[in-house]
Amino acid sequence: MVIGQYSGFTLLFIYYGITQLGNLMDMPQWISFAIIAGCVAMGLRKAGRANALRSSVA
């Protein structure tokens, strides 16, 4: 859910930056939102591997 929310913010800032301002760097917040979504995805992926290892050992 968090990944979807921050991905939506990223797309929204990219869309408005391109259509309304003509430049992505006038609203650089999309970079932070993309990084947050990526970090959450990496954390979920790592947690999934950890859970799989725990269940295979037990």
Side-chain angles (χ1 to χ4, degrees), residues 37-50:
C39 287
V40 171
M42 288 178 6
L44 284 175
R45 189 172 174 196
K46 186 173 182 178
R49 274 194 240 143

Side-chain angles (χ1 to χ4, degrees), residues 1-57:
M1 185 144 177
V2 173
I3 295 171
Q5 179 182 8
Y6 282 103
S7 297
F9 288 149
T10 301
L11 294 175
L12 186 68
F13 275 95
I14 289 173
Y15 173 77
Y16 279 114
I18 291 173
T19 60
Q20 302 296 319
L21 303 173
N23 184 3
L24 286 178
M25 288 307 162
D26 286 340
M27 292 175 46
Q29 294 89 338
W30 66 272
I31 298 169
S32 298
F33 291 133
I35 290 171
I36 292 169
C39 287
V40 171
M42 288 178 6
L44 284 175
R45 189 172 174 196
K46 186 173 182 178
R49 274 194 240 143
N51 289 336
L53 288 174
R54 272 191 229 122
S55 64
S56 67
V57 172

